[in-house]
Amino acid sequence: MSRAFQYSFLISVCSLFFARCTSEKEKQPVTAGPVYTLVFMDKTQSVNVNKAFVAQKYQQILTDLVEQNIRQKGDKLEVYFIHENTQKAKALSLTCRTEIDDVSHMNATDREAAETTADLTLQRERMVFLKQLIAKLGIQNVGASQRQTDIWASLPVINKAAESGAEVKVYYLSDMIESMKGANRRDFHNTPPQDNAQAETWAKEDAKQMQQYALSAAEVKIALPFEPTSSTKENNPTVTTYWTTLLQELGAGSVEEL
């Protein structure tokens, strides 16, 4: 990913953030409790974030999730790399420090000043988060770990986040092609589900072996790196069916494809 492209993108995003900050109509209510955001970035040989379509799609998703989920002090953001050893591949952990003060007791002038200061501080912190996210997105994995894809290993990570009591939001920036060798594993590169019925059957069978990973109504979004014109051979819809079924069987509140 070129430095020029990253710089141009960050400049445009920065302008958008601060433009929104000046508009009272754009403000959204702060959530009652903290939001715990998990981003799983695929760092295997089958996903190329240097492609213009993929880079633009993923960077826009990262921009949106920072603005939507980083709202107040305590909101957390973590990044894990998907590859052969996903569960131990934490790449980033950030926690929002911007406090939103109670302004209900202030007069109109003081309230506006306090809100403006808090908004500017929050926007600056969001920009720091976004810059680090985009830097992680651009990292290339040239090691042997890129040869296998362990997405199952993301499930205990989500489960642990859910145990914190926070509202958990999960983003997969991946082709979702589970590809692990060994007994009782799935390798969708070599043996993908043949149809939706088989995908659902496999998912339910696998879910029975993973009941300890309760996802506690986590909100899951899957962003595939495929253009709308991609063939079903490249973008196999039965794989998405498998993951949607598996995640729902484990208690995800919603599963959406971006």
Side-chain angles (χ1 to χ4, degrees), residues 69-123:
N69 301 348
I70 306 303
R71 310 293 306 173
Q72 61 186 341
K73 184 178 181 179
D75 287 342
K76 193 167 185 177
L77 172 65
E78 290 184 346
V79 173
Y80 283 77
F81 289 160
I82 292 175
H83 50 47
E84 184 182 16
N85 195 16
T86 301
Q87 191 173 353
K88 295 183 178 180
K90 183 189 290 187
L92 185 66
S93 181
L94 301 169
T95 302
C96 182
R97 298 180 179 179
T98 301
E99 293 196 59
I100 308 299
D101 295 328
D102 179 10
V103 298
S104 59
H105 63 285
M106 298 181 182
N107 61 44
T109 301
D110 291 345
R111 183 185 304 118
E112 182 177 359
E115 289 176 344
T116 298
T117 298
D119 286 346
L120 289 172
T121 302
L122 182 61
Q123 296 295 349

Side-chain angles (χ1 to χ4, degrees), residues 202-217:
W202 285 1
K204 290 177 181 179
E205 290 174 353
D206 294 340
K208 290 178 181 179
Q209 310 303 317
M210 303 178 186
Q211 289 302 311
Q212 69 271 33
Y213 303 136
L215 303 188
S216 304

Side-chain angles (χ1 to χ4, degrees), residues 165-198:
E167 179 183 0
V168 178
K169 298 189 178 184
V170 182
Y171 297 78
Y172 287 102
L173 310 187
S174 170
D175 60 7
M176 304 304 288
I177 304 297
E178 180 81 3
S179 180
M180 293 294 290
K181 311 300 181 184
N184 301 317
R185 295 307 305 257
R186 300 291 179 190
D187 185 351
F188 291 157
H189 276 303
N190 293 321
T191 311
Q194 293 302 303
D195 51 36
N196 284 335
Q198 186 175 59

Side-chain angles (χ1 to χ4, degrees), residues 26 49 57 67 69 110 112 202 230 250 252:
E26 293 292 340
V49 296
K57 177 178 181 177
E67 183 173 1
N69 301 348
D110 291 345
E112 182 177 359
W202 285 1
S230 297
L250 293 176

